[in-house]
Amino acid sequence: DIQMTQSPSSLSASVGDRVTITCRASQDVNKYLNWYCQKPGQAPKLLIYASYSLQSGVPPRFRGSGFGTDFTLTISSLQPEDFGTYFCQQSYFTPYTFGQGTKLEIK
Amino acid sequence: QVQLVQSGAEVKKPGASVKISCQASGYTFTDYLMHWLRQAPGQGPEWMGMIHPDRGTTTYAQKFQGRVTMTRDTSTNTVYMDVTSLTSEDTAIYYCTREGVAVAGDYWGQGTLVTVSS
């Protein structure tokens, strides 16, 4: 199975900050890397698919990049509603595996 | 609007089975694959498998082969997942998700909590 490693595991940032989360795959997953945000008691919500494509309705302050094994999610200007746990997922090889999550807190 | 509505919470004893449902609405049911995932407390989601609602064909994660069965009923736009031989390690929230572009889960059910306890 492909292992997905996210960093950091948690971070705290202020409104307006630029935030970056990274995700590394244990083998090449081409561009098939998706990002989700999950808030307590809710299902994950898709933010970015295929490395850099913005899901409909997601604000453009979210940007994804990367190819192969190294990927990044950037929030250009953090907003109060952006708190939650962020997961990356590779959808290139079954089983489609997730990272362990990055918990983002707003200072 | 697209909606996936799952069945309610379940409490099961070790060794028992559970069957969870996911009813879809707001789109053509047979046009999109449906995936099942689960999430144990404090962990990331875990992919269990998928079903093509049109053909009924399935693909399961090797970890769950022989213990999970996914089916569908096109007359009610519902997919089902049966999990047998439950242990405490199966305690988790189970989600159905619709497969969108690039196999990403674009819509999710609300989740079904399955608790396995003696």
Side-chain angles (χ1 to χ4, degrees):
Chain A
D1 297 0
I2 296 176
Q3 279 208 310
M4 307 301 294
T5 303
Q6 287 181 235
S7 63
S9 56
S10 66
L11 76 145
S12 181
S14 299
V15 172
D17 282 354
R18 180 184 179 93
V19 169
T20 298
I21 300 169
T22 63
C23 179
R24 174 164 287 179
S26 62
Q27 62 188 81
D28 189 339
V29 297
N30 197 279
K31 67 173 184 178
Y32 290 90
L33 191 286
N34 312 308
W35 290 98
Y36 302 84
C37 177
Q38 185 176 33
K39 300 194 176 188
Q42 297 183 19
K45 174 189 170 185
L46 179 64
L47 302 174
I48 302 282
Y49 62 89
S51 178
Y52 55 82
S53 296
L54 198 64
Q55 174 66 0
S56 175
V58 175
R61 64 179 179 273
F62 291 92
R63 188 170 66 85
S65 63
F67 188 90
T69 61
D70 292 301
F71 299 87
T72 300
L73 175 70
T74 301
I75 308 173
S76 59
S77 178
L78 195 65
Q79 298 302 301
E81 61 268 29
D82 297 338
F83 77 92
T85 301
Y86 290 76
F87 295 100
C88 61
Q89 177 211 22
Q90 66 82 16
S91 56
Y92 198 45
F93 292 112
T94 61
Y96 302 131
T97 44
F98 287 77
Q100 81 282 12
T102 296
K103 187 173 183 180
L104 173 57
E105 295 178 331
I106 310 294
K107 281 183 188 172
Chain B
Q1 73 282 21
V2 174
Q3 276 197 304
L4 303 177
V5 178
Q6 297 183 224
S7 49
E10 303 264 11
V11 179
K12 296 292 182 181
K13 294 202 182 304
S17 300
V18 67
K19 189 168 187 174
I20 307 167
S21 67
C22 169
Q23 185 171 38
S25 61
Y27 69 98
T28 302
F29 177 66
T30 50
D31 282 354
Y32 293 83
L33 273 78
M34 197 77 81
H35 297 239
W36 286 96
L37 298 87
R38 71 180 187 181
Q39 188 172 28
Q43 301 201 13
E46 179 178 30
W47 184 82
M48 300 179 70
M50 59 190 175
I51 182 167
H52 197 302
D54 186 17
R55 289 164 269 173
T57 52
T58 54
T59 301
Y60 302 128
Q62 189 169 13
K63 174 178 179 177
F64 299 104
Q65 285 274 1
R67 209 162 66 87
V68 163
T69 304
M70 298 175 188
T71 56
R72 93 291 190 218
D73 181 347
T74 56
S75 69
T76 60
N77 291 353
T78 303
V79 295
Y80 300 91
M81 181 173 66
D82 215 323
V83 186
T84 62
S85 303
L86 292 166
T87 72
S88 59
E89 300 205 339
D90 294 313
T91 293
I93 298 175
Y94 289 75
Y95 293 102
C96 59
T97 79
R98 191 186 80 163
E99 178 182 303
V101 177
V103 198
D106 61 357
Y107 289 92
W108 293 60
Q110 83 276 18
T112 296
L113 175 63
V114 175
T115 303
V116 184
S117 173
S118 55

